[in-house]
Amino acid sequence: MVALIVPSEYGYVLGVAGLGAFHLVSLGMKVGKARKAAQIPYPYVYAEKAEAEKDPLKHVFNCVQRAHQNTLEMFPVYTTFLLIGGLKYPEISAGAGVVYLLGRVLYASGYSSGSPEKRTRGAIGYLGFLTLIGTSSLTVYNLLKN
């Protein structure tokens, strides 16, 4: 049997996870602001294509909404890798988590500009994401090899 000891540096990992949650909240607020400006009523998730092509505010709303939705889609995977990898490699995982979040901020900022092609500015975040895949894989491997 292997004892799992949580290092004190794991606090960095939890702090980065918290930053990610705050990022989600900020994106949600941006969606609400864009929804109000574009006058998109609930429960509609997006403006129809024809409406968005005619109204720049509706197009921007769709972009802001998509940036938020994509971030929500990735968040459980990111958080899982961050929390697992952080058990054995807390400082590397926390640093990688910050790089990933920086990428997500750039992604959302670019996408929310109304020019979806600007979302690729956030590609740097994948360096952090790949690092988290590595740290979580090594953590699981080390737990199972004993």
Side-chain angles (χ1 to χ4, degrees):
M1 180 175 1
V2 175
L4 183 63
I5 299 171
V6 178
S8 61
E9 294 84 4
Y10 197 72
Y12 297 128
V13 172
L14 296 177
V16 172
L19 285 175
F22 279 118
H23 179 59
L24 287 179
V25 170
S26 73
L27 289 177
M29 291 169 49
K30 286 181 181 183
V31 169
K33 184 177 177 181
R35 178 182 294 280
K36 184 175 181 178
Q39 298 178 348
I40 305 291
Y42 287 105
Y44 301 104
V45 179
Y46 293 101
E48 293 293 326
K49 182 180 180 197
E51 290 179 305
E53 288 174 346
K54 291 178 190 173
D55 185 344
L57 290 176
K58 287 181 173 41
H59 173 74
V60 168
F61 167 74
N62 283 354
C63 291
V64 173
Q65 175 71 330
R66 183 64 198 130
H68 181 237
Q69 185 66 41
N70 181 263
T71 302
L72 285 169
E73 292 163 3
M74 292 296 297
F75 193 74
V77 179
Y78 153 73
T79 306
T80 299
F81 288 148
L82 174 66
L83 296 176
I84 292 171
L87 289 170
K88 183 151 179 68
Y89 306 98
E91 290 152 328
I92 295 170
S93 295
V98 168
V99 170
Y100 176 78
L101 287 177
L102 175 62
R104 294 313 300 183
V105 168
L106 293 171
Y107 171 88
S109 175
Y111 212 150
S112 298
S113 71
S115 298
E117 62 277 0
K118 291 182 180 177
R119 73 189 186 280
T120 59
R121 295 176 182 167
I124 190 170
Y126 285 107
L127 293 173
F129 191 74
L130 291 171
T131 302
L132 290 172
I133 291 172
T135 58
S136 64
S137 297
L138 287 171
T139 297
V140 171
Y141 171 78
N142 283 308
L143 284 169
L144 293 176
K145 78 175 184 174
N146 292 323

